[in-house]
Amino acid sequence: MIKRETYLKKLRDSYDSELIKVIIGVRRAGKSVLMTQIIEELKAKGIQENHIIYMNFEDYDYIDFTEPKEFNAYIKKQIKDKEKYYLLFDEIQNVKEYEKVINSFRATLNVSIFITGSNSKLLSGELATHLAGRYISIKISPFTFKEFLELEKQKKEEIDIEKLFEKYLEWGGMPQIFNTDSENEQKLYLRDLYNSAILKDIVERNKIKDINLLNRVIQFLMENIGGIISSNSIVSYLKNEKIQTTPDTILNYVEYITNSLIFNKVNRYDIRGKNVMSTLEKYYLSDLGILQLKKSPIEKKVGGRLENIVYNELISRGYEVYIGKTDKGKIDFVIDDFGERKYIQVADYLSSDEVIKREFGAYKSVEDNYPKYVLTMDKIDYSQNGIIHKNIIDFLLENQ
């Protein structure tokens, strides 16, 4: 088992806090394992087992407690004294009116609460209203490349990093996919993951009737990783496929998809105007392995996959990430690091003078002194004019 240290270190200082610890992430990204590791750390610091209450609402054993009154009564029955209790609830969105119950626990009991969910709207609505300023939130991702290598090192002493990167580029980092070396079993696992996310987190939650349209929209997003996308561009694509729909319908479907955390939306940032723009976004998969389920050759483009991996890495490091808009073009990523800014361009190889001019030239109209990077698969250092060039694998493996 890989210890998810990236996330644990963000939570440790709050283990005893009254702040509610909210963990969101796509299905099977490792939220339940993270909860298990939190429980192990609580026990290691001396918390008695009978003061730790864990419930996974994906487990049928807890189906009766998805009703708010039963859930509330069960927890209060477990509390026998005035000492602090640690409440850990997996996939809390499966509990009806969970917002009211969680807030009641926080307000009336001596507890530290941890909750996970597979929907980005976990902190919307009533829960957000009641918990304003009373929670911390982290987003958990599938394995980073560094974690994937750690897993491989547990299996064998000598590893080929470049070959493993090719594997990661193709199969992504969903933790359970590496329990088998059978490609057929891996694809079956990914298909089950995709179907469960679609059916549970999108179709059922939003009462969608046109599943074919939903799948076509997802197909379009997969085929255009790293590309600027608008609702009109999707409508035009569907029109060519003889499917009639409207931009408003597409906007709703895309919102449902991103809420499920299968895709992440990245807004544009106007570097000169210093404001976030809410149109013409990019979309990146939470895990590249899902592309194994699609047969179109378009998503095999290495450049888009590399962008996707870099984006997921930046998110795992806790950055706010945007697309950079300049007067003359775009920059792949603008990073907000607690008020400090960084810029990143991503390409597969600097294979010609034209490509070098394009990637480094993207910064020509950016006049500030924040760090600027170009990340590629090249092993030669092409750094120039204060712009730092790095090998992507080296970037993914650097210490934080």
Side-chain angles (χ1 to χ4, degrees), residues 143-206:
F143 283 159
T144 63
F145 182 58
K146 194 172 186 178
E147 289 176 316
F148 168 56
L149 285 189
E150 186 180 341
L151 181 68
E152 291 297 312
K153 287 176 182 177
Q154 292 180 0
K155 298 177 184 177
K156 48 191 175 183
E157 292 184 6
E158 294 187 8
I159 59 173
D160 186 326
I161 292 179
E162 291 189 6
K163 283 188 177 180
L164 288 173
F165 184 70
E166 291 177 8
K167 182 178 179 181
Y168 184 76
L169 195 64
E170 184 173 5
W171 288 97
M174 279 295 178
Q176 289 147 307
I177 200 172
F178 304 112
N179 292 337
T180 176
D181 291 325
S182 165
E183 286 194 5
N184 187 54
E185 289 183 19
Q186 290 172 333
K187 286 184 177 180
L188 287 173
Y189 168 80
L190 289 168
R191 183 175 292 114
D192 178 56
L193 165 64
Y194 177 84
N195 289 336
S196 66
I198 294 298
L199 293 175
K200 289 188 176 182
D201 290 340
I202 302 180
V203 175
E204 291 180 8
R205 183 180 298 275
N206 301 289

Side-chain angles (χ1 to χ4, degrees), residues 173-288:
M174 279 295 178
Q176 289 147 307
I177 200 172
F178 304 112
N179 292 337
T180 176
D181 291 325
S182 165
E183 286 194 5
N184 187 54
E185 289 183 19
Q186 290 172 333
K187 286 184 177 180
L188 287 173
Y189 168 80
L190 289 168
R191 183 175 292 114
D192 178 56
L193 165 64
Y194 177 84
N195 289 336
S196 66
I198 294 298
L199 293 175
K200 289 188 176 182
D201 290 340
I202 302 180
V203 175
E204 291 180 8
R205 183 180 298 275
N206 301 289
K207 298 179 174 59
I208 290 177
K209 295 180 180 179
D210 194 343
I211 299 176
N212 177 58
L213 177 59
L214 176 65
N215 277 307
R216 290 299 189 101
V217 173
I218 292 173
Q219 172 80 32
F220 180 87
L221 295 178
M222 287 183 177
E223 292 181 358
N224 290 277
I225 288 173
I228 301 291
I229 292 174
S230 69
S231 57
N232 286 327
S233 65
I234 301 177
V235 169
S236 296
Y237 159 79
L238 293 171
K239 186 176 182 180
N240 290 334
E241 298 289 314
K242 311 300 182 185
I243 299 173
Q244 297 297 321
T245 186
T246 66
D248 285 344
T249 298
I250 295 303
L251 283 173
N252 288 333
Y253 274 48
V254 170
E255 182 178 6
Y256 301 153
I257 292 165
T258 54
N259 286 347
S260 75
L261 301 172
I262 296 174
F263 276 90
N264 294 301
K265 180 175 74 171
V266 190
N267 289 320
R268 290 194 302 163
Y269 183 91
D270 186 341
I271 295 171
R272 183 177 291 274
K274 298 182 180 180
N275 64 296
V276 177
M277 308 169 74
S278 59
T279 59
L280 299 177
E281 303 93 354
K282 286 188 179 183
Y283 294 85
Y284 294 102
L285 277 163
S286 294
D287 187 74
L288 284 175

